[in-house]
Amino acid sequence: MDDLDVSARWQARHPTHGSVSNRHLCADIVPGQRALTSPNGTFATDHDYSAAEAYERHFRESLERLHGEQRYRVFADIERISGRFPAAKWRRSDGTVTEITVWCSNDYLGMGQHPEVVSALTGTAHRCGAGAGGTRNIAGNNSPLVDLEGELADLHGKEASLVFTSGYVSNQASISTIGKLIPDCVVLSDAFNHNSIIEGIRQSRCEKRIFRHNDLGHLEALLREAGDRPKLVVFESVYSMDGDVAPIGAICDLADRYGAMTYLDEVHAVGLYGAHGGGISERDGVMHRVTVIEGTLAKGFGCVGGYISASRSICDAVRSFAPGFIFTTALPPPIAAAARASVRYLKHSSAEREAHQRQAAATKQALQAAGLPVLPTETHIVPVIVGDAELCKAAADRLLERHAIYIQPINYPTVPRGTERLRITPSPYHGDTHIAELAAALAETWGTLSLA
């Protein structure tokens, strides 16, 4: 949020001269530019100045700042090839096309191209059409969506589930609504929580207390300080950038001791861990102890959408009060059917999970043997640290252009400055040849760019 903060610091950096309608005018505008911007974000105009020019300049300067900080994001034009995951086509700006290998997809198990999932999607599209027809308040529930929510409730052993259009929205809408409905609630949030969680807490207007990442002692101290107030502990099972895992059972112990609810984000774990794909909480045998489990349909399950699973009353309260649910078009029937097919399949098949873990371990071993700075993790996420935004992008560009390997660079604000990285996500379909090619390409890139 610092990029958008306009405060006294703005005035210190931008000397003002005079005012129009009590709004300060910039004195340091470049000659030839006519924008008048004010420290409260409004734009002043008179017969010599164009508001449209002021707005355009504001956006250009914001983008220039990103470029200057090496944080401007460039997205490759990539077309996945059905049935050939992780192969894809990369279309360059000149229109030429190269086949590449994708090493950073969050479709962790390749379920987005699984025949049963694709068949469920296409069959339902032929039967029901493409769209949902509006919000559920307007168009009602569609049957595939109702069936999906029942499947997810069963997956997590909860009374009910509620599906949203994305995992981001499910966190934002659910956390903000739960917090608003509980008087004087204090939310205790892990320091490494995702932006969707942070936004949900902010919109709840609850008091927020941040505990150091996975630090049980700090969490207990904050719970003790909160006394008898209602408390909600919000944390993730797998943290997506470092690949580490929360001590879910121990956090539940503290929540029980101090009378707190728990809200667990299993986005990077559902489908991938547990006997039926219920996530780390299922794997660890503590799923029943968590008050609310949040997940996504876009990663391990290979589709799109987010959800919560909880008691019937919690899900109904979020359904009834959350603007992010009430005013958003429902997930389309074909997507809901595809997601349900993926969830049902992974409940009964462990082959993909076992192959996933095997290839992730093989990838880590190969990269470590090549002398690359791999961050040790106990999960499927393989971070390779670069530590510089410009070099991180340069490494990603070289991998794509020279080696036909696509890995998107991860820079601030997704990770702290100085910890920029390539985040590698092996899948069951990355074979031993793929892994050997990746290790060789990274070693060549590290040597060429003097990253070692």
Side-chain angles (χ1 to χ4, degrees):
M1 298 300 292
D2 290 342
D3 287 345
L4 302 180
D5 181 39
V6 183
S7 64
R9 290 179 296 170
W10 188 96
Q11 295 187 45
R13 293 195 302 268
H14 297 78
T16 59
H17 180 73
S19 65
V20 173
S21 302
N22 295 319
R23 292 179 293 182
H24 294 292
L25 307 185
C26 284
D28 57 353
I29 292 176
V30 176
Q33 295 183 329
R34 306 187 317 186
L36 291 178
T37 59
S38 72
N40 63 1
T42 60
F43 293 80
T45 62
D46 61 23
H47 67 280
D48 290 327
Y49 297 95
S50 163
E53 290 175 344
Y55 289 124
E56 284 298 313
R57 181 177 181 228
H58 178 78
F59 294 127
R60 285 197 304 270
E61 289 176 348
S62 298
L63 291 170
E64 288 167 5
R65 184 164 63 250
L66 282 181
H67 280 288
E69 296 173 357
Q70 302 297 323
R71 294 199 292 120
Y72 183 78
R73 296 169 189 247
V74 178
F75 302 137
D77 185 347
I78 291 174
E79 179 181 314
R80 285 154 54 103
I81 304 172
S82 183
R84 293 188 55 206
F85 185 82
K89 295 177 181 179
W90 170 42
R91 184 168 58 189
R92 295 181 174 87
S93 57
D94 62 5
T96 59
V97 176
T98 301
E99 186 167 311
I100 61 172
T101 301
V102 176
W103 271 99
C104 58
S105 173
N106 281 345
D107 185 359
Y108 292 130
L109 301 179
M111 291 301 293
Q113 298 183 14
H114 193 281
E116 291 190 23
V117 175
V118 174
S119 177
L121 185 143
T122 55
T124 305
H126 285 297
R127 189 175 73 251
C128 301
T135 69
R136 297 206 220 179
N137 295 280
I138 298 293
N141 286 325
N142 62 70
S143 296
L145 191 48
V146 173
D147 295 340
L148 171 60
E149 288 177 337
E151 201 73 56
L152 292 166
D154 177 73
L155 173 66
H156 294 293
K158 302 296 185 186
E159 291 179 342
S161 284
L162 191 66
V163 168
F164 299 79
T165 51
S166 74
Y168 193 103
V169 174
S170 60
N171 269 338
Q172 186 182 48
S174 300
I175 294 170
S176 62
T177 301
I178 291 168
K180 286 177 182 176
L181 291 176
I182 303 175
D184 198 32
C185 182
V186 57
V187 180
L188 299 101
S189 176
D190 188 284
F192 283 13
N193 276 341
H194 189 262
N195 179 264
S196 59
I197 294 174
I198 295 168
E199 281 299 299
I201 297 171
R202 184 182 65 81
Q203 292 175 23
S204 75
R205 299 182 182 175
C206 293
E207 180 182 347
K208 177 177 71 172
R209 300 182 183 177
I210 300 174
F211 61 94
R212 290 185 293 272
H213 178 54
N214 280 347
D215 189 328
L216 295 171
H218 192 208
L219 173 59
E220 181 168 19
L222 295 178
L223 285 165
R224 189 183 302 114
E225 289 174 8
D228 294 332
R229 293 175 61 184
K231 296 171 282 290
L232 175 66
V233 181
V234 185
F235 60 110
E236 302 179 34
S237 60
V238 175
Y239 289 86
S240 62
M241 289 300 121
D242 289 345
D244 56 340
V245 174
I248 302 173
I251 291 175
C252 288
D253 290 341
L254 290 176
D256 291 344
R257 188 178 310 158
Y258 292 95
M261 297 172 61
T262 49
Y263 184 105
L264 174 63
D265 179 320
E266 286 263 34
V267 159
H268 291 274
V270 288
L272 311 178
Y273 298 91
H276 305 94
I280 298 292
S281 58
E282 184 191 24
R283 184 198 71 178
D284 293 353
V286 294
M287 195 163 58
H288 62 287
R289 301 184 61 192
V290 179
T291 311
V292 181
I293 294 175
E294 186 267 349
T296 185
L297 303 166
K299 295 180 172 61
F301 296 125
C303 297
V304 69
Y307 66 90
I308 59 169
S309 291
S311 69
R312 189 168 288 107
S313 60
I314 290 176
C315 288
D316 199 16
V318 174
R319 181 190 71 88
S320 300
F321 289 98
F325 177 87
I326 294 170
F327 298 105
T328 299
T329 298
L331 208 65
I335 297 297
R340 186 192 182 206
S342 185
V343 174
R344 292 186 71 181
Y345 178 88
L346 289 173
K347 279 183 181 178
H348 304 293
S349 175
S350 294
E352 290 76 13
R353 283 188 285 276
E354 292 169 359
H356 185 224
Q357 291 298 315
R358 183 171 61 250
Q359 295 310 98
T363 302
K364 293 176 191 177
Q365 184 177 11
L367 300 191
Q368 289 165 352
L372 294 158
V374 180
L375 192 67
T377 75
E378 57 182 291
T379 62
H380 58 282
I381 294 167
V382 185
V384 181
I385 303 299
V386 177
D388 178 90
E390 188 171 4
L391 289 173
C392 194
K393 185 180 185 307
D397 289 345
R398 185 170 184 83
L399 286 167
L400 183 59
E401 293 165 3
R402 182 178 178 84
H403 299 285
I405 287 174
Y406 175 62
I407 307 173
Q408 182 73 0
I410 305 294
N411 296 330
Y412 176 86
T414 307
V415 296
R417 287 186 175 91
T419 69
E420 292 84 0
R421 66 198 62 187
L422 300 178
R423 177 182 176 272
I424 296 167
T425 53
S427 77
Y429 301 100
H430 285 94
D432 293 343
T433 300
H434 288 123
I435 294 172
E437 291 171 349
L438 173 67
L442 284 168
E444 188 277 337
T445 299
W446 248 246
T448 300
L449 298 179
S450 300
L451 298 177

